[in-house]
Amino acid sequence: MPTFTAPDGTRLALHVRGEGPPLVVLPGGPMRASAYLGDLGGLTDRRRLHLLDLRGTGDSEVPADPATYRCDRLVDDVEALRRHLGLERMDLLAHSAGGSLAMLYAARHPERVARLVLVTAIPWALGCRPTAEDRLAAARLRRGEPWFAGAFPAFEAWLRDPAEYDPVVSPFFHGRWDAAARAHDAAADEQCNDAAAEVYGSEGAYDPPATRAALARCTAPVLVLAGALDGGPRPDLARRAAEAFPDARSVVQPGAGHYPWLDDPEWFSAQVDAFLAGAAAPRE
C-alpha cells in the first residue's frame, strides 16, 4: 500500500487497483475510508484507480490538528497526491461529499485537472444542498418496495432531526436493496470517522461565490452523474451543479441511488469510460 506525506507531515494512504491510465478517486462520507468504493463498477478493467484515504480515515494517519479535516484544507492533500504520482494533469473522480473537495481543488488548481467526474456529488461548495423536500420526493418514488412502509416514517424523523437516524432507512440510499447493498451499508460504521465529518463542512470551509467565479475559468471537461432515485442530490440539483462549469454535461442513471456503481455496474462504468476515453494525463 503506497503512502505519501501531506504538507503538514501527515502520512496518507493510497490504494491502487486495476490497470490502465491513472484515475485519482476522492471518497465521500464525508470522511469515509475509500474501501467502500470497491472497483467502481469494474472501472479497474480499464483504469488504474488511485483511491485516497483522506486523513484520519482508513489507513491514513490521524493529523495532529483536527482542524485540517475541513474540506478546503484537504485541497492541499489532493495536490500533494498529484505531485506524488508525478502527473502534470490528472483525471479526477469524486463521490458524494468528495465532490465538494474536487470542486475546491478544480477551483484552486484548474490547470491540473484533465477531466473531472462528479458522482452523486453533493454541491456544498457551490452553496447548494439537498432539501428535506428533495429527499422526501425521491423517497416516495420507492412506494412499491416491500420495505417502504416500515422505513418511511423513520426517514421523515431523520429529516426532522439527524440525531434520530435509524439504519432502517438505508434502502433509500440504494437503487437495489439486495445482498450487495446490505453488505456495503453494514461496513459504513467502521469505515467512517464521525468526528472528522463534523469538521469537514464547518464554518469557513466553503465560499460559494469565490468558488463559482474560479470554476468559470476551469476549462476541463466535467461529467456530473446523478442517480434517478437519489435524494441527495436529485437530478435537478446535479444539473444545476453542472452549470458552474464551462464544459460540463450531466447524465442520470436509471434506477440508481446514491451508489450507482452498485446498482448497475455495467451502465455506470460504460458512462464513465466513454467520458474518460479521450483524457490522457501527461506526466511531468
Side-chain angles (χ1 to χ4, degrees), residues 19 38 65 85 89 103 117 142 192 207 216 219 223 234:
E19 297 296 333
D65 180 4
L85 295 175
R89 296 167 66 230
M103 291 177 196
V117 182
R142 317 299 296 278
C192 294
D207 183 346
T219 59
L223 175 67
R234 296 201 76 196

Side-chain angles (χ1 to χ4, degrees), residues 59-73:
D59 293 307
S60 289
E61 282 186 347
V62 172
D65 180 4
T68 60
Y69 289 132
R70 206 174 72 178
C71 186
D72 60 319
R73 299 185 67 175

Side-chain angles (χ1 to χ4, degrees), residues 234-253:
R234 296 201 76 196
D236 284 349
L237 181 56
R239 293 187 189 101
R240 295 205 303 274
E243 293 171 357
F245 298 89
D247 184 9
R249 66 182 180 92
S250 59
V251 63
V252 180
Q253 180 169 327

Side-chain angles (χ1 to χ4, degrees), residues 3-81:
T3 63
F4 64 99
T5 305
D8 67 349
T10 305
R11 296 292 292 176
L12 303 178
L14 187 64
H15 298 271
V16 182
R17 301 180 187 136
E19 297 296 333
L23 176 61
V24 173
V25 181
L26 305 180
M31 306 307 290
R32 183 171 179 178
S34 66
Y36 82 97
L37 295 162
D39 67 356
L40 282 173
L43 281 180
T44 48
D45 291 344
R46 292 160 298 278
R47 302 291 299 206
R48 188 170 182 82
L49 305 185
H50 296 269
L51 300 109
L52 175 63
D53 279 344
L54 298 176
R55 53 180 55 216
T57 72
D59 293 307
S60 289
E61 282 186 347
V62 172
D65 180 4
T68 60
Y69 289 132
R70 206 174 72 178
C71 186
D72 60 319
R73 299 185 67 175
L74 295 175
V75 170
D76 289 340
D77 292 354
V78 180
E79 175 62 1
L81 171 55

Side-chain angles (χ1 to χ4, degrees), residues 203-246:
E203 185 176 359
Y206 307 123
D207 183 346
T211 299
R212 287 180 178 275
L215 290 180
R217 299 188 293 270
C218 178
T219 59
V222 180
L223 175 67
V224 181
L225 190 150
L229 302 178
D230 191 15
R234 296 201 76 196
D236 284 349
L237 181 56
R239 293 187 189 101
R240 295 205 303 274
E243 293 171 357
F245 298 89

Side-chain angles (χ1 to χ4, degrees), residues 10-191:
T10 305
R11 296 292 292 176
L12 303 178
L14 187 64
H15 298 271
V16 182
R17 301 180 187 136
E19 297 296 333
L23 176 61
V24 173
V25 181
L26 305 180
M31 306 307 290
R32 183 171 179 178
S34 66
Y36 82 97
L37 295 162
D39 67 356
L40 282 173
L43 281 180
T44 48
D45 291 344
R46 292 160 298 278
R47 302 291 299 206
R48 188 170 182 82
L49 305 185
H50 296 269
L51 300 109
L52 175 63
D53 279 344
L54 298 176
R55 53 180 55 216
T57 72
D59 293 307
S60 289
E61 282 186 347
V62 172
D65 180 4
T68 60
Y69 289 132
R70 206 174 72 178
C71 186
D72 60 319
R73 299 185 67 175
L74 295 175
V75 170
D76 289 340
D77 292 354
V78 180
E79 175 62 1
L81 171 55
R82 181 195 65 80
R83 291 177 177 274
H84 170 75
L85 295 175
L87 298 172
E88 183 173 344
R89 296 167 66 230
M90 61 182 175
D91 292 340
L92 186 62
L93 182 149
H95 173 244
S96 188
S100 282
L101 175 56
M103 291 177 196
L104 294 185
Y105 180 83
R108 196 180 303 175
H109 301 284
E111 75 286 357
R112 299 304 187 183
V113 181
R115 291 197 175 218
L116 173 61
V117 182
L118 299 173
V119 179
T120 58
I122 304 174
W124 294 322
L126 301 177
C128 301
R129 60 181 59 245
T131 66
E133 291 75 18
D134 287 337
R135 292 191 180 275
L136 287 171
R140 291 187 182 104
L141 297 174
R142 317 299 296 278
R143 286 186 184 277
E145 304 282 353
W147 44 262
F148 178 87
F152 189 71
F155 192 72
E156 290 181 299
W158 170 64
L159 291 174
R160 289 191 299 269
D161 181 0
E164 294 296 319
Y165 182 82
D166 184 331
V168 73
V169 308
S170 295
F172 287 112
F173 299 99
H174 296 266
R176 299 188 305 186
W177 188 237
D178 55 13
R182 289 184 178 90
H184 186 266
D185 184 69
D189 284 346
E190 64 183 29
Q191 292 171 344

